[in-house]
Amino acid sequence: METLDMIKSRKAIRHYTGQISDEQLQTLILAANAGPVGMGTYTDYRLTAIQDPKILSQMNGIYDASTVLVISVQDPGKMEYVSAGAIAQNIELAAENEGIGSNFNMASIASIPSGVIPDGFDPVFAVTLGLTDQHFAPRTIPNDRIKTNIVK
């Protein structure tokens, strides 16, 4: 899919029909690793792919997703939150490109059971993932949805 069409097709999926494959998960992890991280401090970040139904059942607001990919950071500040958001955007766009449903999800972070995230890391962003029957198609997005000032 062309990049701009893919961006215009992105939507939050809240209905999942099945589990993604291990190969699809690896594609999404690669997309996350291609994300920009402030000052190149990749060692300060961790990805945790949660697919265990017992753990998922303890998490709130995940829309019965079969996978939740969590981005965690050591000692997060503004730069780390921005970087985590960029990583999450890469995951979402790669998921869409693969026909996988996804949704940005920060509401579930507080309900991640203890011991799931590596010690010393704080979860800052999550993406719910799974197969979906939703169709991705470019939509019309108004150019003034976000008011813009142009300074020349």
Side-chain angles (χ1 to χ4, degrees), residues 37 50 65 86 90 98 118 122 131 133 140:
V37 167
I50 303 171
N90 271 18
E98 296 288 316
D122 296 316
L131 300 182
D133 54 10
T140 302

Side-chain angles (χ1 to χ4, degrees), residues 74-129:
Q74 288 180 331
D75 194 29
K78 288 180 185 178
M79 180 178 72
E80 290 78 17
Y81 277 93
V82 170
S83 296
I87 292 167
Q89 182 71 18
N90 271 18
I91 294 166
E92 274 218 342
L93 291 174
E96 179 185 336
N97 191 58
E98 296 288 316
I100 298 168
S102 64
N103 191 3
F104 290 136
N105 187 296
M106 291 184 290
S108 67
I109 290 173
S111 65
I112 298 171
S114 89
V116 173
I117 302 301
D119 288 340
F121 289 85
D122 296 316
V124 296
F125 221 114
V127 180
T128 57
L129 299 155

Side-chain angles (χ1 to χ4, degrees), residues 133-144:
D133 54 10
Q134 298 289 307
H135 177 71
F136 298 101
R139 63 189 191 276
T140 302
I141 298 173
N143 229 20
D144 63 349

Side-chain angles (χ1 to χ4, degrees), residues 50-73:
I50 303 171
Q51 295 183 318
D52 181 334
K54 184 178 176 184
I55 294 172
L56 292 170
S57 72
Q58 297 175 57
M59 295 176 64
N60 298 323
I62 63 168
Y63 310 107
D64 294 322
S66 55
T67 299
V68 177
L69 192 50
V70 181
I71 303 156
S72 302
V73 185

Side-chain angles (χ1 to χ4, degrees), residues 32-47 72 87 121:
N33 277 279
V37 167
M39 306 301 291
T41 57
Y42 290 92
T43 57
D44 292 345
Y45 293 77
R46 289 293 182 274
L47 298 172
S72 302
I87 292 167
F121 289 85

